[in-house]
């Protein structure tokens, strides 16, 4: 398993790398000034495609859990991100977003009991500083609404990342279905907003249709599947430290394909941000996917035992006070009882 950890990190990192191509595709291929429609076209077709492939619908509490995660990771995040990008100068939205590791560290301490280390906080600050050197341009007046939108987008995605790890996924449900639920729920949330704010969909030529197809399939369906798969196996802090790869990718594409220049200061910033991304992966252990914890029966007594609550993996002996009490208690539990996790 240890040997697969680097491969898991690399595959998860492909998600923010793919998201780094969004700006170039949007500006070069898609209709202008349609951020909500673009968010809708990214989320809903991808969600329906993955839903058709997974053929699994939520059950029980997972209807509202999937809706909450879809709202945080997709439905709220996409519109807030586009709003901040349109209203803030230069790459300020990317700088605010690069502070995600710090938000996740705080939320993980509250919801997951993962206390942030000084190294985590320092590495997160270095990552944000490095991104700021890469993406900031000539300063302009900061728009208060745009700044609030950028902060809200970062908090929304950070909360979604932590809750995705806290809740895990139901037994027998893979990351493909979990991704489908969230993208579909997020797309359905964006749809009425796009219609009310932007009106009817614009006419699309072949170039725009190709851009939306790329965003829906590679940039969203595949990328978010890799992202949520990584969340289930890495720590929340590890995953969010891959986020700075998105603005770094956007800067490299701007230099390589759009004729933009990279200054020495930007190169230093890229080195700092990439170094912080690598440092964020060191020392943390991947986590097993959180599913339901099962109560199994003792070897001879026939009564359920919580594995995590036994000191040595064995039940109290029958005939003892603790054993008799456990046996009486077990009769009030159904056979093969299952306690849902989180």
């Amino acid at each position: 398993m240890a040997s697969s950890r680097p491969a898991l990190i690399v595959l998860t990192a492909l998600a923010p790398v793919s998201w780094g191509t969004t700006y170039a595709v949007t500006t070069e291929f898609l209709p202008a000034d349609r951020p909500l429609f673009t968010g809708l076209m990214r989320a809903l077709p991808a969600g329906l495609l993955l839903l058709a492939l997974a053929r699994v619908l939520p059950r029980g509490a997972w209807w509202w859990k999937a809706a909450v995660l879809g709202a945080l990771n997709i439905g709220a995040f996409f519109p807030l991100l586009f709003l901040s990008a349109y209203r803030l100068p230069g790459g300020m939205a990317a700088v605010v977003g690069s502070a995600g590791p710090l938000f996740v560290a705080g939320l993980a301490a509250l919801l997951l009991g993962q206390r942030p280390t000084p190294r985590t906080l320092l590495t997160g600050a270095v990552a944000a500083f490095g991104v700021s050197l890469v993406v900031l341009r000539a300063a302009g007046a900061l728009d208060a609404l745009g700044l609030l939108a950028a902060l809200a987008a970062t908090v929304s995605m950070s909360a979604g990342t932590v809750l995705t790890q806290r809740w895990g996924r139901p037994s027998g449900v893979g990351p493909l279905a979990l991704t489908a639920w969230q993208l579909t729920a997020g797309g359905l949330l964006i749809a009425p907003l796009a219609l009310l704010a932007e009106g009817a969909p614009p006419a699309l030529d072949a170039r725009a249709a190709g851009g939306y197809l790329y965003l829906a399939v590679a940039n969203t369906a595949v990328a978010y599947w890799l992202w949520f798969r990584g969340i289930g196996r890495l720590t929340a802090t590890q995953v969010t430290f891959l986020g700075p790869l998105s603005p770094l990718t956007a800067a490299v594409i701007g230099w390589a394909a759009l004729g933009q220049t990279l200054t020495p200061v930007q190169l230093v910033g890229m080195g700092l941000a990439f170094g912080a991304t690598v440092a964020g992966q060191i020392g943390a252990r991947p986590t097993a996917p959180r599913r339901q914890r099962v109560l199994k029966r003792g070897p001879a007594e026939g009564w359920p035992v919580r594995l995590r609550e036994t000191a040595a993996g064995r039940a109290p002996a029958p005939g003892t006070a603790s054993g008799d009490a456990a046996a009486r208690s077990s009769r009030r539990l159904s056979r093969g009882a299952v306690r849902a996790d989180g």
Side-chain angles (χ1 to χ4, degrees), residues 92-330:
M92 181 58 71
V95 173
V96 177
S98 67
L102 300 178
F103 286 103
V104 167
L107 291 172
L110 291 174
L111 300 178
L112 303 179
Q114 297 176 0
R115 180 176 298 179
T117 64
R119 192 190 70 173
T120 296
L121 299 177
L122 177 61
T123 306
V126 170
F129 178 69
V131 170
S132 69
L133 294 181
V134 175
V135 301
L136 286 184
R137 297 292 187 273
L142 290 182
D143 181 87
L145 179 59
L147 187 58
L148 288 176
L151 286 171
T154 303
V155 172
S156 180
M157 187 67 168
S158 300
T161 298
V162 174
L163 283 179
T164 299
Q165 187 170 81
R166 176 179 174 84
W167 288 340
R169 59 180 187 266
S171 179
V173 173
L176 186 70
L178 185 63
T179 306
W181 300 347
Q182 295 185 55
L183 287 173
T184 303
L188 292 175
L189 180 62
I190 297 173
L193 299 177
L195 183 62
L196 291 174
E198 299 177 354
L204 302 180
D205 56 17
R207 188 178 182 87
Y212 282 124
L213 180 63
Y214 167 78
L215 288 182
V217 178
N219 186 267
T220 303
V222 175
Y224 272 95
W225 170 69
L226 290 173
W227 185 252
F228 293 131
R229 177 176 175 269
I231 290 176
R233 303 184 183 189
L234 301 170
T235 67
T237 303
Q238 271 186 301
V239 173
T240 197
F241 263 112
L242 298 174
L245 293 176
S246 179
L248 295 184
T249 302
V252 171
I253 291 176
W255 166 74
L258 303 180
Q260 300 172 2
T261 60
L262 289 175
T263 66
V265 172
Q266 287 178 302
L267 294 175
V268 171
M270 292 179 69
L272 289 174
F274 185 75
T277 298
V278 174
Q281 310 306 314
I282 299 174
R285 295 181 178 179
T287 58
R290 296 187 65 174
R291 294 188 177 90
Q292 293 175 329
R293 286 193 288 267
V294 180
L295 307 180
K296 79 171 188 178
R297 297 188 175 277
E301 298 80 5
W303 43 272
V305 181
R306 290 187 196 271
L307 292 180
R308 57 181 285 169
E309 292 178 0
T310 58
R314 295 178 300 174
T320 64
S322 58
D324 292 341
R328 288 193 299 271
S329 176
S330 73

